[in-house]
Amino acid sequence: MAGLNCGVTVALLGVLLLGAARLPRGVEAYEIALPPGSGISVLIKPGTPTLPVKVCYIIISTRRETKLSIKAGESRVFSFSCQNPENHFVIEIQKNIDCMSGPCPSGEVQLQPSTSVLPALNRTFVWDVKAHKSIGLELQFSLPRLRQVGPGESCPDGVTHDISGRLDATVVRIGTFCSNGTVSRIKMQEGVKMALHLPWFNNRNVSGFSITNRSSVKRLCIIESVFEGEGSATLMSANYPDGFPEDELMTWQFIVPAHLRASVSFLHFSVSNCVKKEERVEYYIPGSTTNPEVFKLEDKQPGNMAGNFNLSLQGCDQDAQNPGILRLQFQVLVQRPQNESNKTYVVDLSNERAMSLTIEPRSNKPSTDSVPGCFVCLDPWTCSTNLTLTPGSKHKISFLCDDLTRLWINAEKNITCTDHRYCHRKSYSLQVPGYILQLPVQLHDFSWKLLVPKDSLSLALVPAQKLQQHTHERACNASFSYLLASAVPGQDLRFGFFCSGGSIEQIRVKQNISVTLRTFAPSFQQEASRQNLTVSFIPHFKEDGVFTVTPDRKSKVYLRTPNWDRGLPSLTSVSWNISVPHDQVACLTFLKERTGVVCQTGRAFMIIQEQRSHAEEIFSLEEEVLPKPSFRHHSFWVNISNCSPVSGKQLDLLFWVSLTPRTTVRKRRSARARP
């Protein structure tokens, strides 16, 4: 500390030239003597008892007191009337330092007297430094540095640092800090107030920081955060969670090893109502030719940054009547660059008009220190934990992630017909585009919303391979399935999950529908060629859905009504057109004897109709027993129409169809007919 004399250094903030020493052995008494002009004061006062305790007093001569105040130049001898004063009292030792009228002390801050000779109470050492705006003060913290904590959080060892600054006569909270972090320096101007809280059982006898004089920092403060290796730090704006001071500037400087990469995520923020200027964050990023990089708080923040960088928060002039609150809590994550960060992938949406693609975490759980983050980068620095690509542009993306299985892709595309004369009989292939399949991240959902003019057109879906409906009796076990659900606002109609390898040749729906391809295993990438649905716009029909089914000769085909778990929606009608080969006989079987539906209005019924003879069997689903297993020699229809059921008494049906060769059925009948 060149230019400082020894006298100034010795007069340093924490130097209590105290004669605080115990009286002769056998006497439980203490003496604190404060030198005149030292600027030091001591206050012993009642603490907050955690349990009901007996009354305890401070004994001064023969007087019993509940509070003891000692000022500079005074000396006091005292003792306690109980053997556990730490449960009753706390001690505050404050050093006021005036740098307005003389030189400001600099150097390592001492705790004096030593905590070993003070009463064993919860202790708070406070250094209150007042200085001109032109004088900068730098607090430098020794290892293991500091970690900022939010409101209500406590430090594991009970040692807490509260740091505040000044704006004219207003005190501004810079933050509360524990040990074992990355914060190495805090630079302020116009003074600083530092409070070190030590629990009564802690024998620490060093402050852990020093103060250095600097030139003005020309802002509220600068916080330096040093990363020695991989890790993360959570930091907050001044006064958090209350409002950041109006039209102020606060900067964080991050020291990052050159071989690592840093990414910034905003955890919580709000903005105020500005009348002049604009609230923003500014970055000085290594290698950028456009420094400072300016972002709004709601923008995606930079990631994949190599080396040191700065982040600054700039406030604005606020509306006096309705100022709002500017506040920010953010995380900086430092990790090793992954192999994928060196690869760039092109996602070409330039020819798309109604499609979006989002890459996001499988889980919303925040990253921890032990789990590196997963980021998607739209350019070298614009990285975030999730990224949505919009239509009409070609996008280049890369990944900063140690394990890409932690991410997945969700995409949505609208196919809309607004003029039935143009769309009639047109067809579209529902296939996942190749530019999605080439990405190193698993696809989760790809949804097509198929929209048609009401009462003008309907939709027909034809799979490349026949579909199986997912049921409890025969579950889909493929790497992907299709979820079919109504896309009509307010209509809760889910036709179900369907996968390849079944008997359903076509699905027709009356109006708007959402078709979602959902993957269940990474092997979908190898099986992607099996996914292909063709949708056609067809003349309008009245039923909500019609399934065309050709049962497999070797296995049963299980079919169920839509919304199986919640019941068929009110007034919904669904049909199955079941083909029976000429050399086969179909056996139709229902799972239950009764449906259990109770109608509030209307009727629930089922019609089974032979297609050759047009003979109909009509069953009341509310009143009648369902038919027993029956043979059907020709193709037939099954239609189920619902009423408006009473809550809790919904309609759901499961049935299956199996084929048997006609010759086998004849033989069985002949055998039964013999005497």
Side-chain angles (χ1 to χ4, degrees), residues 137-155:
L137 297 172
E138 176 182 292
L139 305 181
Q140 184 171 351
F141 304 97
S142 56
L143 293 174
R145 303 196 177 102
L146 300 185
R147 172 176 60 89
Q148 189 169 9
V149 293
E153 293 185 67
S154 58
C155 298

Side-chain angles (χ1 to χ4, degrees), residues 127-139:
W127 297 269
D128 192 355
V129 185
K130 294 180 174 63
H132 290 287
K133 290 185 178 181
S134 59
I135 296 177
L137 297 172
E138 176 182 292
L139 305 181

Side-chain angles (χ1 to χ4, degrees), residues 271-291:
V271 296
S272 54
N273 298 312
C274 299
V275 293
K276 289 183 180 179
K277 302 181 183 178
E278 186 178 16
E279 293 171 343
R280 62 189 184 275
V281 286
E282 297 180 353
Y283 292 84
Y284 279 84
I285 302 174
S288 173
T289 58
T290 57
N291 279 326

Side-chain angles (χ1 to χ4, degrees), residues 16 18-22 30-32 34 42 44 78 80 91-93 111-121 123-125 198 200 203-204:
L16 301 172
L18 311 177
R22 300 191 181 211
Y30 304 88
E31 180 182 11
I32 295 180
L34 303 180
V42 172
I44 300 176
F78 61 94
F80 298 99
I91 183 170
E92 294 180 0
I93 304 168
L111 292 187
Q112 290 185 346
S114 171
T115 55
S116 61
V117 297
L118 285 174
L121 308 176
R123 303 174 296 283
T124 299
F125 289 88
L198 300 175
W200 67 271
N203 295 322
R204 174 172 169 171

Side-chain angles (χ1 to χ4, degrees), residues 40 465 631 636:
I40 300 168
Q465 296 183 348
F631 285 110
F636 62 98

Side-chain angles (χ1 to χ4, degrees), residues 543 573-576 605-608 621 637-641:
E543 289 187 86
S573 178
V574 184
S575 292
W576 291 263
F605 58 87
M606 177 174 67
I607 300 174
I608 302 175
L621 297 178
W637 288 90
V638 176
N639 169 263
I640 296 174
S641 297

Side-chain angles (χ1 to χ4, degrees), residues 252-273:
W252 293 265
Q253 296 177 333
F254 297 97
I255 311 301
V256 180
H259 67 285
L260 299 179
R261 300 291 181 267
S263 299
V264 176
S265 300
F266 283 5
L267 305 179
H268 303 285
F269 70 87
S270 63
V271 296
S272 54
N273 298 312

Side-chain angles (χ1 to χ4, degrees), residues 657-672:
V657 179
S658 58
L659 296 180
T660 304
R662 284 178 181 267
T663 55
T664 303
V665 174
R666 290 194 191 102
K667 289 178 181 179
R668 290 175 181 170
R669 287 179 176 174
S670 298
R672 286 197 298 268

